[in-house]
Amino acid sequence: RVAQRACETVEALLRDYDAFLFDCDGTLYHAGTILPDVADAIRHLRSLGKKVFFVTNTSSRSREQLQEKLSKMGVPCTAEECVPSGVFTAAYVKKSHPDSKHIYVIGGQGVVDEFNKVGISCSGGPDEDREVFVDTEFEAMAEEISAEHYDGVVVGWDTGLNYYKIVRSALVFQKHPGCFFYATNDDLVDRVGACLLPGNGCLLPAIEKACASCVPERAEKAAPYGIKAVSLGKPNPDYARLIAEWNGIDLKRAVMFGDRLDTDIEMGLQAGMGTCFVVTGVDGLEQIAEKRITPNYILTQVGCLWTHRPV
């Protein structure tokens, strides 16, 4: 039925919306492979004068790195059109904690780059990917971290996560009890071909457990100063609202495309946007009833915007 109504759905989307926000992993591509007809669909939207944005919870890439990845896949775009969750996280932290100067990051270079852009320096990140913890150096590490200034800890998807980083984050929490605790997202998985890839939501509990065990008094504190990280990516509607504010978008005339109901579609619904669910990623049609999240539109894939366009 979804396939049969594709022409009608595409016609309605092109008629009713001026801005198109796309999730990336599982929606536009699987890892390094672009999905069918995506490049043509994006070109078609641009030819119609539509605004296009790329909104991913994957924080390991900066705006510029996401732009480079999409461009290499045949989807030319500007850095301003690319808004990975690290961009929103850095902007949110800067606004919420304007006096912040330095944080500890578990995550990719994209997170570090985006925080540097807003004037917040970082320790950790990819610089510690190859570090090995040595227990005889623990006390010296604690003294070093105590002597430094830390305003908070931010956790993003980290393909180089190791015990050394977990220990350092725990020491930051111990030596700087007033530091905040955020995550760029808590997605459990992303689809890559026929298999599922563990996401930041699978890594985050290790850092949270270390925080809770080493600084149990934080359990009594309100977020973001407690033992659980505040997740800032989708489905947080402020993510979409900030994109709209930066780009002069009327969210009632904007539509969010995504493969995950509880992140992409839920954010769109909470932000008052239109939503279009595609079945090329994590969730399938059966999850609509299971998760009780109903999108405004459903397409088999983003490429339908091209293959089923009005002629």
Side-chain angles (χ1 to χ4, degrees), residues 134-245:
V134 180
D135 59 356
T136 56
E137 299 174 358
F138 178 66
E139 290 185 340
M141 183 188 293
E143 291 178 6
E144 171 203 336
I145 289 174
S146 179
E148 296 174 341
H149 174 82
Y150 286 94
D151 294 296
V153 173
V154 174
V155 181
W157 187 53
D158 192 336
T159 58
L161 180 65
N162 52 38
Y163 185 67
Y164 182 90
K165 295 181 183 183
I166 296 173
V167 170
R168 288 192 73 90
S169 70
L171 284 172
V172 172
F173 288 125
Q174 291 176 73
K175 296 298 184 179
H176 303 275
C179 70
F180 52 72
F181 190 13
Y182 290 107
T184 60
N185 70 90
D186 57 3
D187 293 5
L188 292 174
V189 295
D190 278 312
R191 178 166 296 283
V192 180
C195 298
L196 295 173
L197 177 71
N200 197 40
C202 296
L203 311 181
L204 186 57
I207 292 89
E208 292 179 330
K209 199 71 173 179
C211 177
S213 301
C214 295
V215 198
E217 58 270 25
R218 283 182 67 105
E220 305 301 322
K221 296 183 178 181
Y225 304 101
I227 58 175
K228 295 287 187 181
V230 175
S231 182
L232 294 176
K234 295 175 287 184
N236 188 338
D238 287 337
Y239 194 171
R241 290 173 186 141
L242 188 62
I243 295 171
E245 178 184 331

